[in-house]
Amino acid sequence: MPVTARREREKQQRYEDIVDAAEIIFNENGFANTSMDEIARAAQLSRALLYVYFKDKAAIMRAVMLKAMQAMEARFANAFTAEEAGMKQIKGIGCAYYAFSVEESDYFDMLTELNTFPDPEEPDLVAEGMLRCRQNLDGMMVQALENGIKDGSLNPEHIGDPLITAYILQGSLHGVIMSTRKPKNPNVAQVDSEMLVKRAIDMMCYAMAA
Amino acid sequence: MPVTARREREKQQRYEDIVDAAEIIFNENGFANTSMDEIARAAQLSRALLYVYFKDKAAIMRAVMLKAMQAMEARFANAFTAEEAGMKQIKGIGCAYYAFSVEESDYFDMLTELNTFPDPEEPDLVAEGMLRCRQNLDGMMVQALENGIKDGSLNPEHIGDPLITAYILQGSLHGVIMSTRKPKNPNVAQVDSEMLVKRAIDMMCYAMAA
DNA sequence: ACAATTATTGACAGTTTGTCAGTTATTGAC
DNA sequence: GTCAATAACTGACAAACTGTCAATAATTGT
């Protein structure tokens, strides 16, 4: 009689209901302009119940951010397995990052916010999930770089420590895409952002090519 | 009888008092955890008076962000004028950016936040100042790139449209530095961030070199 | 001296937050 | 089926914060 198990499943379901509802509202109004009341209404629950499942609004936000990271991880994995050669894998991951930023732009923006978002007071399951996700992302990049060194498509001299290079690639690509997303600078708004990002990817690849 | 002028100066002074006080509190507690009351107390003014000078808390934040941009602009200008050759100017600006992120890290973090910060409902003097600042930044980068093409230190084929390349350089460098600043990823925390950033600069320069 | 203008503030109404005592629903034992 | 125990859920409260406005205080020119 797995009654405990069913309870557990229902609890999990409520949790996801809340996160799914919050995701919509956050994307509509932004984190700061969203109240717990709105989330509760969207999830058809009482506001007080939200506090049973989450410490506060920021904790809900982090749960949504984890979803965003996992969505990106899936795209990275697709791009990674679609190619054999290291250079092509790197380029593929770069393009996947850009596609992600266009096709799941809300998630991309959440990952941008994550950079300035406060960490939880005490690590929880969400933080743990984020960490695993990050490690997977890093792992794929490192693997691709090592592949490229082995298969001769990348220059080991230019890459040095693959982990460091992976950080550089991720950071710079995120920065470039980010700078084209909310164009407070009217000049940037006018440029073709796809071309710009592709050029950035090409520059990095050129700098690493054998 | 420049009594009006003195009034104007005093008004300007109050304005700056508020911004200076807010800057400290924001950096201590973060924007979200700062109340108008705290700012008012720090500036030794009544809370209501803040609303005479600023529409709301976000407007004060934007004023601080403008200061941050101007601080960075000054560093860019120093680096730019310190060199003659285009390549050296670009590299110098890159290093200045990193130095800025270390020596004025609070300002750097504010500029990171600026990416996800809401724009004012209606453009004001602060927004105008930011725009000018951005144009100056872009202008210096473009100038340096054009210098490099003229003096043969940079490869025009690899640069293409200097403005596009300027955006790429700024975006990617900001992204790389940002990714090393709040290391939610414990691995990143362990790496030598100066080395990492310098390597990123070298990669970009290598990709543009003649 | 005083009317007019400008600067400043106290205090109010409206939101939102986090909590907790209390209510309702579900379960397993008998 | 009944009922005590446990779990799920909620109404309602105190505290904090926001933005505004009428009222007060200070400064100016006449």
Side-chain angles (χ1 to χ4, degrees):
Chain A
M1 66 189 81
V3 62
T4 312
R6 199 203 47 183
R7 280 249 169 137
E8 208 51 47
R9 251 188 297 120
E10 282 176 355
K11 243 179 139 176
Q12 183 64 26
Q13 185 59 50
R14 281 252 181 287
Y15 179 96
E16 283 168 24
D17 288 348
I18 295 172
V19 176
D20 291 346
E23 178 181 332
I24 294 168
I25 315 281
F26 284 151
N27 286 330
E28 268 172 17
N29 305 340
F31 175 76
N33 294 324
T34 298
S35 71
M36 292 295 262
D37 210 36
E38 289 176 278
I39 298 172
R41 248 178 289 138
Q44 315 220 56
L45 301 169
S46 79
R47 195 173 64 83
L49 191 56
L50 297 186
Y51 289 94
V52 173
Y53 287 84
F54 294 92
K55 187 183 163 289
D56 54 19
K57 191 169 58 152
I60 303 181
M61 182 61 160
R62 279 188 291 268
V64 180
M65 284 168 163
L66 173 58
K67 278 183 71 181
M69 288 187 71
Q70 287 165 337
M72 190 169 101
E73 183 189 346
R75 283 180 180 258
F76 267 47
N78 277 342
F80 177 72
T81 53
E83 297 287 348
E84 293 286 322
M87 170 62 105
K88 283 191 177 175
Q89 287 177 323
I90 289 293
K91 200 158 200 162
I93 288 174
C95 291
Y97 208 159
Y98 177 69
F100 172 73
S101 80
V102 172
E103 292 160 21
E104 299 178 89
S105 57
D106 290 334
Y107 276 158
F108 179 86
D109 290 337
M110 292 224 160
L111 296 189
T112 298
E113 276 192 70
L114 182 52
N115 279 297
T116 55
F117 207 80
D119 284 324
E121 308 254 341
E122 24 166 318
D124 56 2
L125 284 168
V126 169
E128 201 185 301
M130 283 187 178
L131 194 54
R132 287 169 62 96
C133 218
R134 248 176 247 277
Q135 286 167 343
N136 292 341
L137 268 330
D138 293 345
M140 280 186 268
M141 299 276 302
V142 168
Q143 190 62 55
L145 290 170
E146 285 176 349
N147 288 347
I149 292 173
K150 276 206 201 81
D151 66 32
S153 57
L154 297 174
N155 184 339
E157 305 284 324
H158 290 170
I159 289 189
D161 180 352
L163 187 55
I164 298 289
T165 304
Y167 294 150
I168 292 176
L169 291 176
Q170 278 180 58
S172 60
L173 191 50
H174 191 96
V176 169
I177 297 173
M178 180 176 80
S179 75
T180 69
R181 292 262 321 124
K182 289 211 182 158
K184 300 172 192 274
N185 183 340
N187 291 340
V188 177
Q190 282 163 13
V191 311
D192 175 354
S193 63
E194 174 163 358
M195 184 268 280
L196 193 151
V197 174
K198 290 283 159 65
R199 272 189 58 79
I201 295 172
D202 286 342
M203 275 179 77
M204 300 306 288
C205 286
Y206 172 81
M208 296 185 301
Chain B
M1 66 190 84
V3 62
T4 311
R6 198 203 47 180
R7 280 247 168 143
E8 206 52 46
R9 252 188 296 119
E10 282 176 354
K11 243 179 138 178
Q12 183 64 25
Q13 186 59 49
R14 281 249 180 290
Y15 179 97
E16 282 166 24
D17 288 348
I18 295 173
V19 176
D20 291 346
E23 177 180 334
I24 294 167
I25 315 282
F26 284 151
N27 286 330
E28 269 172 15
N29 305 339
F31 175 76
N33 293 324
T34 299
S35 71
M36 291 295 262
D37 210 36
E38 288 176 279
I39 297 172
R41 247 177 290 138
Q44 316 219 60
L45 301 169
S46 77
R47 196 173 62 83
L49 192 55
L50 297 186
Y51 289 95
V52 173
Y53 285 85
F54 295 92
K55 186 183 164 292
D56 53 20
K57 191 169 57 149
I60 303 181
M61 182 60 160
R62 279 189 292 266
V64 180
M65 284 169 164
L66 173 58
K67 277 183 72 181
M69 288 187 71
Q70 286 165 340
M72 188 168 102
E73 183 190 347
R75 284 181 181 258
F76 266 47
N78 277 343
F80 177 71
T81 53
E83 297 288 348
E84 292 286 322
M87 170 63 105
K88 285 191 176 174
Q89 287 177 323
I90 289 293
K91 200 160 201 157
I93 288 174
C95 292
Y97 208 160
Y98 177 69
F100 172 72
S101 81
V102 172
E103 292 160 22
E104 298 178 270
S105 57
D106 290 335
Y107 276 159
F108 179 87
D109 290 338
M110 291 225 160
L111 295 190
T112 298
E113 276 193 71
L114 183 52
N115 279 298
T116 55
F117 207 80
D119 284 324
E121 309 253 342
E122 24 165 318
D124 55 3
L125 284 167
V126 170
E128 200 185 302
M130 284 188 177
L131 194 54
R132 286 170 62 98
C133 220
R134 248 176 246 278
Q135 286 167 344
N136 291 341
L137 269 331
D138 293 345
M140 279 186 269
M141 299 278 299
V142 167
Q143 190 63 53
L145 290 170
E146 286 175 350
N147 289 347
I149 292 173
K150 275 205 201 79
D151 66 31
S153 57
L154 297 173
N155 183 339
E157 306 285 324
H158 291 170
I159 289 188
D161 179 351
L163 187 56
I164 299 289
T165 304
Y167 294 149
I168 292 176
L169 291 175
Q170 280 180 57
S172 60
L173 191 50
H174 191 97
V176 168
I177 298 172
M178 181 176 81
S179 76
T180 69
R181 291 264 318 126
K182 289 211 181 154
K184 300 173 193 271
N185 182 341
N187 292 340
V188 176
Q190 282 164 13
V191 310
D192 175 354
S193 63
E194 173 162 0
M195 184 268 280
L196 193 152
V197 174
K198 290 282 159 68
R199 272 190 56 78
I201 295 173
D202 286 342
M203 276 180 78
M204 300 305 288
C205 286
Y206 172 81
M208 295 186 300

